[in-house]
Amino acid sequence: MKWIKTLASYALIFTIIYTVVNYWRAPTSVPLSQVSTLETSTTLGISPAVLQQSHQTPVLVYFWATWCGVCSITSGNVQAISQTHPVQTIAIQSGTADEVHQFMKNHGYDFAVVHDMDGRIFDAWQGQVTPSFVIIKDGQVVQRFTGIAPLWSLKVRLWWAMI
């Protein structure tokens, strides 16, 4: 019985530390209300159409890279989610547009992607690590997180954003 209390204590401490670090590393909530011009939407990687779509259902924004090891685990889950939910992805410093599209083709990914060759979009969001995620609902950032995202976790987060 004592070991259960010890295990529960460690799990609680881990969860608190993980949540704090995750929140600190996640992309910043930028003022998306400014995404009305081509310049702003290009800078932030989010089009006015994506923001409009967020008024019907939450939109998952996924910052990833071809060179990111954790992204190789998570991108398959994003691909699965993209079949039922709107997804906008941003490939960070992953080579030329042709190289990114070839990478996606080789891995069976067909989600929407913005090519962030020099990392300016990720910098505009003040992102720190890949993979990073943002969920937009009603034109506002409602969730932001980083790291491995199992499919069930993405589904729960999108569901949570709807309520």
Side-chain angles (χ1 to χ4, degrees):
M1 193 61 146
K2 183 179 178 182
W3 68 273
I4 292 175
K5 286 183 180 182
T6 302
L7 182 62
S9 296
Y10 285 138
L12 178 62
I13 291 168
F14 172 80
T15 301
I16 291 169
I17 290 171
Y18 177 80
T19 301
V20 168
V21 169
N22 188 33
Y23 185 79
W24 174 70
R25 295 184 328 170
T28 301
S29 299
V30 297
L32 294 175
S33 59
Q34 298 173 1
V35 179
S36 58
T37 66
L38 180 59
E39 181 180 326
T40 306
S41 64
T42 302
T43 301
L44 296 177
I46 305 297
S47 71
V50 168
L51 285 185
Q52 186 61 36
Q53 192 172 24
S54 78
H55 289 281
Q56 285 112 34
T57 188
V59 175
L60 177 68
V61 180
Y62 173 51
F63 297 92
W64 63 285
T66 57
W67 45 262
C68 167
V70 176
C71 298
S72 66
I73 298 167
T74 303
S75 292
N77 298 333
V78 173
Q79 174 63 33
I81 280 290
S82 73
Q83 304 306 303
T84 58
H85 291 84
V87 172
Q88 175 65 64
T89 75
I90 300 167
I92 305 158
Q93 298 175 328
S94 295
T96 66
D98 288 341
E99 290 170 331
V100 171
H101 289 292
Q102 187 61 48
F103 178 88
M104 291 178 64
K105 182 179 176 186
N106 291 345
H107 289 84
Y109 304 147
D110 62 4
F111 43 68
V113 64
V114 172
H115 186 237
D116 186 16
M117 188 165 171
D118 57 9
R120 287 185 190 172
I121 295 171
F122 198 48
D123 288 347
W125 285 84
Q126 297 179 0
Q128 296 182 34
V129 298
T130 56
S132 289
F133 301 85
V134 171
I135 296 178
I136 301 171
K137 177 66 176 138
D138 295 325
Q140 302 295 319
V141 173
V142 294
Q143 292 182 43
R144 52 197 190 91
F145 53 100
T146 64
I148 294 174
L151 183 57
W152 67 266
S153 173
L154 293 173
K155 287 180 179 182
V156 166
R157 287 176 178 277
L158 288 163
W159 171 80
W160 184 13
M162 283 192 286
I163 57 173

